[in-house]
Amino acid sequence: KAGVTQTPRYLIKTRGQQVTLSCSPISGHRSVSWYQQTPGQGLQFLFEYFSETQRNKGNFPGRFSGRQFSNSRSEMNVSTLELGDSALYLCASRGAGITEAFFGQGTRLTVV
Amino acid sequence: KQEVTQIPAALSVPEGENLVLNCSFTDSAIYNLQWFRQDPGKGLTSLLLIQSSQREQTSGRLNASLDKSSGRSTLYIAASQPGDSATYLCARGSQGNLIFGKGTKLSVKP
């Protein structure tokens, strides 16, 4: 059974650009959540999608957005990149209910 | 504010030692408590999930307990090995997301 797949694994972008990250959940999982991990703040929740609808949202600016497709794959977009957006972005998938979360390997974003 | 605290932030032990990692949380109305392992630069690997109705879960050399009344969870690692070296994170599950502690960085010396 395939795990959670995130692409790309690494990205280098320039300030002001935008970026799109992709996450394919475990087959059959309909919930996808996104997290940002930095050395200073640790893991922080960005948003959760379930059946193509944003169900929960963390405390991040509107530059951070996401969407989910009918096959449960999710994308996260960050516009007008800032140096502080450099982080490891992780997505997690869950099955029905409040169940065990499984994480991908993450996308390492570096903004220069 | 819901918070999760992990103490200690770092721990170094000799191989073979049994050890306990601590996790405390401020809100006892949790759905579940999940422990993860993270190797440098990698994603999170789920170790154990304890539902709010459970008191403990075991997997191999790992045992996790949950005490909602005191807002505490512990991860017990028996007979530690160098391959156990990693950062261990606990996360309390709320309705739509996980709230993470900052982790305990474990180093097991051969």
Side-chain angles (χ1 to χ4, degrees):
Chain A
K1 188 175 184 181
V4 180
T5 303
Q6 291 188 245
T7 57
R9 290 293 310 279
Y10 303 93
L11 269 176
I12 299 176
K13 291 286 187 179
T14 304
R15 275 182 302 174
Q17 287 187 313
Q18 74 167 12
V19 67
T20 299
L21 313 181
S22 179
C23 173
S24 293
I26 291 171
S27 178
H29 285 190
R30 294 162 64 189
S31 167
V32 175
S33 299
W34 289 89
Y35 294 83
Q36 180 195 67
Q37 186 177 30
T38 58
Q41 298 298 317
L43 275 150
Q44 294 184 286
F45 172 70
L46 283 155
F47 30 66
E48 181 204 15
Y49 285 87
F50 181 85
S51 293
E52 302 179 64
T53 301
Q54 188 180 88
R55 191 159 67 172
N56 290 284
K57 188 177 188 302
N59 189 27
F60 277 80
R63 299 185 298 107
F64 291 82
S65 63
R67 59 178 174 169
Q68 186 179 34
F69 302 95
S70 59
N71 61 358
S72 293
R73 188 178 71 86
S74 177
E75 289 182 347
M76 188 190 89
N77 185 77
V78 188
S79 62
T80 319
L81 284 165
E82 301 176 358
L83 295 178
D85 297 333
S86 295
L88 181 66
Y89 290 88
L90 293 160
C91 84
S93 80
R94 291 190 302 182
I98 314 296
T99 57
E100 189 172 6
F102 296 92
F103 281 77
Q105 289 298 299
T107 294
R108 170 73 63 183
L109 172 65
T110 302
V111 182
V112 297
Chain B
K1 180 181 177 183
Q2 302 169 348
E3 290 188 349
V4 178
T5 304
Q6 292 187 249
I7 295 174
L11 181 64
S12 181
V13 300
E15 181 177 4
E17 190 163 298
N18 301 325
L19 58 101
V20 174
L21 306 181
N22 296 294
C23 172
S24 61
F25 45 91
T26 56
D27 186 353
S28 61
I30 66 171
Y31 286 87
N32 55 45
L33 195 293
Q34 195 167 352
W35 283 91
F36 296 90
R37 168 188 172 136
Q38 186 174 33
D39 294 286
K42 301 294 180 65
L44 275 61
T45 300
S46 178
L47 297 174
L48 289 165
L49 170 73
I50 311 174
Q51 298 288 2
S52 61
S53 58
Q54 298 173 321
R55 293 297 299 266
E56 66 177 330
Q57 282 287 335
T58 298
S59 176
R61 295 183 293 109
L62 305 179
N63 175 275
S65 67
L66 175 63
D67 184 343
K68 290 194 300 179
S69 62
S70 65
R72 295 172 63 87
S73 177
T74 61
L75 178 67
Y76 175 83
I77 302 177
S80 59
Q81 303 170 357
D84 294 331
S85 298
T87 296
Y88 290 80
L89 295 146
C90 71
R92 55 156 288 173
S94 62
Q95 190 158 6
N97 60 290
L98 294 169
I99 301 169
F100 284 87
K102 293 290 181 70
T104 294
K105 186 174 182 179
L106 174 65
S107 176
V108 181
K109 304 295 186 185

